[in-house]
Amino acid sequence: TGSLKNSLIVSGSGVTVAQCAVGTGATLTGGTNLEWRNGANENSCNSSTAVLATVTAPEDIVATTLANNGGPTETLTLPDGSPAIDTGDPSVGLTTDQRGQPRPQGSGPDLGAFEATPKQPKVTIPVPALGMWGLLALIGLMSTIVCRVRRT
């Protein structure tokens, strides 16, 4: 008997065997797992609540190369838009990821060993065009301020 929860089980094309080979008489419990093999969702691990991925390649779910992302071991990052982001079960109670980073970082914990950090939105403040007269007025205002600062 084993348990697998809030996990990613992902493999690329060419894999023809089930990813979780549960032997005769053995049981595997848990849930909220994302299992993706050879271009399709799968549930050979018998997750009670499977997370379905609508992607076409494994790198849409998780990075395919281990890298030093901080922490004691290398990890696989989650790309923007990964179905593993914020879809974990918070009742599992994990408060940090494999690197020691706090989780959850978003609306829920991420699946797998890596907790993605939400991207900060880019804020753009539009500046209206001043035109020639507006620019001259701004220069005049700034020169007045500079003169007053020098007098004090």
Side-chain angles (χ1 to χ4, degrees):
T1 301
S3 181
L4 190 64
K5 194 160 187 153
N6 280 6
S7 298
L8 287 174
I9 305 141
V10 179
S11 63
S13 61
V15 177
T16 57
V17 296
Q19 303 200 52
C20 287
V22 180
T24 306
T27 59
L28 185 63
T29 61
T32 320
N33 298 309
L34 192 156
E35 200 175 340
W36 193 90
R37 174 177 65 91
N38 205 14
N41 287 295
E42 183 180 272
N43 194 16
S44 65
C45 295
N46 301 319
S47 291
S48 56
T49 53
V51 176
L52 299 179
T54 54
V55 297
T56 57
E59 55 269 13
D60 294 334
I61 300 171
V62 65
T64 56
T65 305
L66 285 168
N68 182 354
N69 297 300
T73 60
E74 293 183 330
T75 52
L76 298 172
T77 60
L78 299 175
D80 291 341
S82 170
I85 295 175
D86 296 339
T87 55
D89 180 357
S91 71
V92 172
L94 294 176
T95 57
T96 60
D97 70 359
Q98 182 172 324
R99 304 165 300 152
Q101 296 298 312
R103 65 166 71 201
Q105 294 276 329
S107 60
D110 298 343
L111 299 178
F114 185 89
E115 183 73 18
T117 304
K119 303 289 184 235
Q120 296 299 320
K122 184 178 180 182
V123 178
T124 304
I125 301 172
V127 178
L130 294 176
M132 185 177 82
W133 293 112
L135 188 58
L136 289 173
L138 181 61
I139 291 170
L141 179 63
M142 291 180 71
S143 64
T144 302
I145 292 171
V146 170
C147 289
R148 289 188 181 187
V149 169
R150 287 184 184 166
R151 288 184 191 162
T152 57

